[in-house]
Amino acid sequence: MSGRPQAARRGLRRATLISFAAAGLLGSLVAPNLAEAKSAPKPRVEDLQLLAINDFHGNLEPPAGSSGTIKEIDPKTGQVVSTPAGGIEYLATELRQAREGKRNSVTVAAGDIVGASPLLSGLFHDEPTVEAMNKLGLDVTSVGNHEFDEGAKELLRMQRGGCHPVDGCYADGRTFEGASFKYLAANVTSEKTGKPILPPYWIKNVRGVKVGFIGVTLEGTPNIVTAEGVKGLKFGNEVTTINKYAAELRARGVNSIVALIHEGGYPASTTYNYDCGAAGAGVSGPIVDIARKIDPSVGAIVTGHTHNSYACAIPDPNGVPRSVTSAASFGRLYTEIDLKLDKTDGSIIRPSVTAANHVVRRDVPKAPDMTALIAYYNKLAAPIANRPVGYIGADINGRGSSDFEKPLGDVIADAQLAGLAAKDKGGAQVAFMNPGGIRSDLVYRASGAEGDGVVTYAEAFTVQPFTNMMQVKTLTGAALLALLQQQVSGLNDAAPKILQPSANLTYTLDLTKKGADRILATSVRLDGAPLDPAATYRVAANEFLAGGGDGFPAFTTGTDKLVGPSDLDLFTAYLTTNSKPGTPLTVPAQTRIKIIGAGTDQD
């Protein structure tokens, strides 16, 4: 453990700071007479600290592999290094220490607090994470797309409490009390009533100044959640919704407004303390256009979804820089946003806003209440969690791989084909896995007492936590080619989503071309033979993909659907069948997709 006092440690953190006043960015907008400026009374202000997280995804224990590190620049060498980070025991300590000495502090989040969670939380329908967030002091969060993984009714149970309708109560028979923090869903409305399914905003009285928080998720949520999860719901435009409720808040006398948005951007650097530069030029993605259009009355924007870290300034519709932040994911960072409230008119003094991301390092004391919570649920989960299901000889990266073809994606696709190839199982001839569904890596180093190279059920669950049911459909060769082209066209044109194929499918991806042409049609081979547009093929995918999710409508043209076991069941069965002590599973060679134009050609 570090011997430095906490204040000194935080002072040494390299953090991206936004300070509009220091940069003189408002000077051209306000140029008062000097004498008037000297005589004008100073505004009465109230300081407010916001502590923000996003995309926690139930990671109560420190995440394993690359999911549990943050990239930063070593101040001694100037090199980019990966620092271990995350874990609710450390996050709780960091946030509690950050609040010390602060008269006013509010803890906020930008969605995906639950969903796609490791076994410790997912096995209990994320009740442990909600309990942890209650203890953590979370005040308010927007919903994210993963809050809808189990549907709107389950989301409402997370807010209101009550035992699970199927699995009942877990903790010694006591009833789950629900979230003490507020879920906001301003742009998620019921198709029947047209009204938000949860409150659109929350108002906090900060010593006489009313501060409003508006929460939205991305408009495209239905494209990345199973159809059953968003059944009966509509998702409105982020900007339109925020501006609507900002006006409503102002009409209620609330002039300090913060937006919590589960949509994000892509900074030019992966280091957590990257300086976005003037006018947010160093960040791209959906949040840039959204931030530029949100009403200027919104004083700060907290974002998520992309799992990136940034503390940037993006101009509002009047061209005035405004704080836009994101704290990576899995509790590895938190953002500290300090602002001043004008007690005269109740507004956020925009030039006062500063924001910095801080690493949740693992050299601070663990929070005892969080340690106790983890131990309690680990005891309940142990009979299932600790069961060995396979063996690996080295790390097999999935979430932690930046390659289009991910080693763990190859393994998962092979597992799906192996489990569904038999005639009575669907007769699958090829399988595809969506990259976003790979939630972690398989790490060689032991996470507990199981030993190095042993894959436990809990570790397999962390990789495939959705337990999506598998489907096998008949697609024409033309539809199969369209499927491959949709990886780099349509909804995925700007940000390709490269499916992970089973070993018997190969093709070339040419990044020097545009749109669908990036898939070289003549290069596609299945079992070594060219794809025949007129032939039919049995294609396996999880129910999310098979329903057209992630921008793949070609899947919906399939016929003769057969529903199989869950993706997790096939994954664990494959690991058990294909690896033994002494003969572990090896890392795939990543030779299924030949890539041209990524700096150098990649095989």
Side-chain angles (χ1 to χ4, degrees):
M1 181 184 300
S2 171
R4 301 189 188 101
Q6 176 64 12
R9 291 186 63 255
R10 290 181 60 219
L12 288 172
R13 293 173 178 155
R14 292 176 59 87
T16 302
L17 293 177
I18 301 170
S19 182
F20 306 139
L25 293 171
L26 296 186
S28 62
L29 299 177
V30 181
N33 178 276
L34 185 59
E36 292 177 351
K38 288 182 178 180
S39 62
K42 292 183 179 180
R44 295 189 305 121
V45 301
E46 191 69 47
D47 292 329
L48 175 62
Q49 175 196 63
L50 300 182
L51 300 176
I53 61 172
N54 53 273
D55 298 275
F56 185 73
H57 291 292
N59 279 266
L60 298 173
E61 296 179 298
S66 60
S67 295
T69 63
I70 280 290
K71 292 182 179 179
E72 61 179 327
I73 298 174
D74 187 321
K76 294 181 179 179
T77 66
Q79 301 297 309
V80 176
V81 296
S82 294
T83 300
I88 193 69
E89 297 160 292
Y90 306 108
L91 177 61
T93 296
E94 292 277 15
L95 293 184
R96 288 164 183 171
Q97 290 180 344
R99 295 181 190 122
E100 291 178 1
K102 299 291 185 179
R103 192 160 93 146
N104 308 307
S105 184
V106 178
T107 301
V108 305
D112 278 7
I113 296 301
V114 299
S117 304
L119 185 76
L120 181 63
S121 186
L123 184 63
F124 305 104
H125 296 280
D126 279 316
E127 291 179 17
T129 294
V130 172
E131 291 181 16
M133 290 295 146
N134 290 344
K135 295 176 183 291
L136 189 74
L138 180 63
D139 292 297
V140 62
T141 182
S142 67
V143 294
N145 55 286
H146 282 285
E147 263 81 22
F148 295 92
D149 284 346
E150 295 188 47
K153 288 184 178 179
E154 178 65 1
L155 169 59
L156 294 176
R157 188 180 76 87
M158 291 291 98
Q159 178 71 87
R160 300 168 182 171
C163 298
H164 190 271
V166 176
D167 295 336
C169 296
Y170 300 111
D172 297 329
R174 64 180 172 85
T175 301
F176 171 59
E177 295 181 356
S180 59
F181 54 90
K182 298 293 184 183
Y183 267 117
L184 304 180
N187 67 331
V188 186
T189 56
S190 165
E191 289 182 345
K192 290 183 178 179
T193 67
K195 297 179 180 180
I197 63 169
L198 284 162
Y201 54 76
W202 174 68
I203 301 172
K204 171 73 172 178
N205 191 315
V206 181
R207 300 185 184 273
V209 179
K210 296 178 181 179
V211 182
F213 296 86
I214 303 170
V216 300
T217 186
L218 70 156
E219 184 178 9
T221 291
N223 297 322
I224 53 176
V225 176
T226 59
E228 191 63 27
V230 295
K231 187 177 181 180
L233 303 176
K234 288 186 177 180
F235 292 78
N237 178 265
E238 303 94 337
V239 173
T240 302
T241 302
I242 291 171
N243 288 349
K244 169 187 174 182
Y245 286 110
E248 185 172 313
L249 282 168
R250 293 196 306 274
R252 294 184 59 178
V254 180
N255 294 320
S256 289
I257 304 172
V258 176
L260 310 175
I261 308 177
H262 190 70
E263 179 61 289
Y266 303 93
S269 170
T270 57
T271 56
Y272 87 93
N273 48 1
Y274 166 68
D275 182 353
C276 294
V283 65
S284 61
I287 198 60
V288 176
D289 187 55
I290 291 171
R292 289 180 182 275
K293 295 177 179 178
I294 288 176
D295 192 278
S297 64
V298 176
I301 300 172
V302 178
T303 76
H305 186 56
T306 59
H307 292 205
N308 288 311
S309 59
Y310 44 86
C312 298
I314 298 175
D316 69 12
N318 291 335
V320 180
R322 174 169 49 194
S323 173
V324 180
T325 64
S326 177
S329 61
F330 305 156
R332 296 172 294 163
L333 295 178
Y334 71 92
T335 309
E336 182 176 9
I337 306 166
D338 293 303
L339 45 83
K340 294 183 183 298
L341 310 177
D342 188 332
K343 299 193 74 169
T344 303
D345 63 9
S347 65
I348 294 173
I349 301 174
R350 288 270 293 276
S352 74
V353 179
T354 64
N357 282 328
H358 300 299
V359 179
V360 177
R361 304 180 191 275
R362 299 178 191 168
D363 60 355
V364 297
K366 296 179 179 180
D369 56 339
M370 298 300 182
T371 301
L373 182 144
I374 289 172
Y376 177 82
Y377 279 103
N378 264 330
K379 184 177 180 180
L380 292 181
I384 297 173
N386 298 333
R387 175 169 57 90
V389 296
Y391 302 84
I392 57 175
D395 289 355
I396 304 180
N397 288 331
R399 196 76 178 179
S401 171
S402 59
D403 296 331
F404 281 140
E405 182 186 343
K406 305 178 188 304
L408 191 49
D410 287 351
V411 172
I412 293 171
D414 289 347
Q416 294 175 352
L417 181 60
L420 299 171
K423 291 291 184 183
D424 62 336
K425 302 295 184 183
Q429 297 169 271
V430 64
F432 294 100
M433 176 62 193
N434 56 308
I438 308 167
R439 303 305 298 184
S440 187
D441 306 324
L442 285 183
V443 179
Y444 177 78
R445 184 178 179 180
S447 59
E450 74 276 9
D452 290 346
V454 179
V455 180
T456 64
Y457 183 82
E459 291 166 338
F461 185 98
T462 300
V463 171
Q464 291 271 264
F466 299 108
T467 58
N468 279 322
M469 304 310 292
M470 293 299 301
Q471 294 184 8
V472 183
K473 290 182 173 181
T474 298
L475 270 68
T476 64
L480 188 49
L481 176 59
L483 178 70
L484 295 175
Q485 292 171 333
Q486 286 163 7
Q487 299 177 113
V488 290
S489 62
L491 291 176
N492 299 321
D493 182 69
K497 284 191 174 73
I498 305 302
L499 298 174
Q500 310 297 290
S502 51
N504 60 336
L505 184 133
T506 60
Y507 67 93
T508 297
L509 172 64
D510 187 348
L511 298 176
T512 67
K513 298 181 181 297
K514 301 291 185 181
D517 290 340
R518 285 178 276 192
I519 302 298
L520 302 188
T522 57
S523 72
V524 182
R525 297 287 187 276
L526 184 60
D527 292 320
L531 197 66
D532 182 353
T536 58
Y537 302 90
R538 295 289 283 168
V539 181
N542 62 52
E543 60 184 319
F544 167 65
L545 268 184
D550 262 357
F552 291 99
F555 269 122
T556 64
T557 67
T559 59
D560 301 320
K561 179 177 73 175
L562 183 143
V563 178
S566 74
D567 49 8
L568 177 61
D569 287 343
L570 293 184
F571 183 48
T572 57
Y574 183 83
L575 291 172
T576 300
T577 301
N578 291 277
S579 64
K580 304 292 179 186
T583 55
L585 196 69
T586 58
V587 181
Q590 297 173 264
T591 57
R592 304 171 192 191
I593 306 173
K594 178 180 174 61
I595 300 175
I596 298 173
T600 57
D601 293 355
Q602 299 179 6
D603 288 321

